[in-house]
Amino acid sequence: HFDTGAAGVESARGILRRCLFEIKAHCGIDDKVPTDYIQIKRTFLVWLQIAASKGGVLLVIDGADGLDDSNGDGIAEFLDCIPRVLPLKFRIILSMRTGAPAFDKVLKRLNLVKTLSVGMLPQKARKAMCESMLAARGRPKEDLDARLATDVALRSPVLLRVCTSLFIRTGTYYPGTTLESAT
């Protein structure tokens, strides 16, 4: 997951480099992550195929409409790096404000876009969602890390689900943390 408000992910280049660090760590790739933008884009496509073949990739970008388009390195540039035909085990979730200029660019660029308009979850609904996910896996609600339900950054239902699933699998609370910074 990438929050476009975080350092290093305010541009397509930044997001792609962070994706490369994630794929490198997850897939055990020995090659260095390039710094040259053209090489970053080429490497992303190759490594994306590798990661998809090793179980799949879910890329969540929260606030995609916040990517800076003023320098030509925004959402349009990022979308140009995504293959026209997505690898079988690759999914991308972009959250953004409906009606934002980036929203129209996404709809024009990706032909298999499914849109879902959701509001932000209040704390009570976040807690209920987390507890429901725990119960579905046979875990008591006391296992819930309270930060999952109270962290304002997790008001997006999609992001909350991703972070809660990670917490249930690993027992670790990682909002906004990447493998690059966790290792």
Side-chain angles (χ1 to χ4, degrees):
H1 159 258
F2 300 108
D3 178 351
T4 56
V9 290
E10 61 279 343
S11 67
R13 178 186 191 135
I15 288 177
L16 291 171
R17 283 203 80 222
R18 293 206 38 201
C19 285
L20 289 175
F21 279 108
E22 294 280 343
I23 294 170
K24 175 183 171 73
H26 181 72
C27 295
I29 297 173
D30 292 329
D31 298 344
K32 290 185 177 181
V33 173
T35 55
D36 175 68
Y37 199 15
I38 292 171
Q39 209 46 45
I40 289 170
K41 291 191 238 182
R42 289 180 182 153
T43 302
F44 177 74
L45 292 174
V46 172
W47 288 11
L48 181 61
Q49 291 290 344
I50 292 169
S53 72
K54 290 191 176 201
V57 176
L58 171 62
L59 176 60
V60 179
I61 301 178
D62 193 12
D65 51 325
L67 287 172
D68 183 13
D69 267 326
S70 64
N71 62 3
D73 192 19
I75 190 68
E77 183 70 22
F78 173 75
L79 292 172
D80 283 342
C81 298
I82 302 297
R84 294 268 180 210
V85 178
L86 298 178
L88 280 176
K89 294 183 179 179
F90 174 68
R91 298 292 179 263
I92 182 169
I93 297 173
L94 304 173
S95 78
M96 65 188 77
R97 294 181 321 265
T98 304
F103 187 77
D104 292 333
K105 290 177 185 177
V106 169
L107 291 178
K108 288 177 186 172
R109 170 60 174 77
L110 298 175
N111 57 355
L112 296 175
V113 172
K114 294 180 182 175
T115 61
L116 175 63
S117 180
V118 292
M120 293 297 148
L121 294 174
Q123 183 174 345
K124 187 174 180 178
R126 292 194 307 266
K127 183 175 181 183
M129 184 175 166
C130 293
E131 288 175 353
S132 169
M133 290 178 70
L134 282 168
R137 289 175 178 84
R139 303 258 310 265
K141 63 183 178 182
E142 291 76 28
D143 283 357
L144 178 66
D145 185 320
R147 293 175 294 180
L148 284 164
T150 58
D151 189 340
V152 180
L154 299 178
R155 291 179 299 164
S156 161
V158 173
L159 177 56
L160 179 61
R161 184 168 181 83
V162 169
C163 288
T164 303
S165 292
L166 178 66
F167 170 76
I168 290 170
R169 278 195 334 272
T170 65
T172 309
Y173 171 70
Y174 276 131
T177 301
T178 67
L179 289 175
E180 174 187 357
S181 62
T183 55

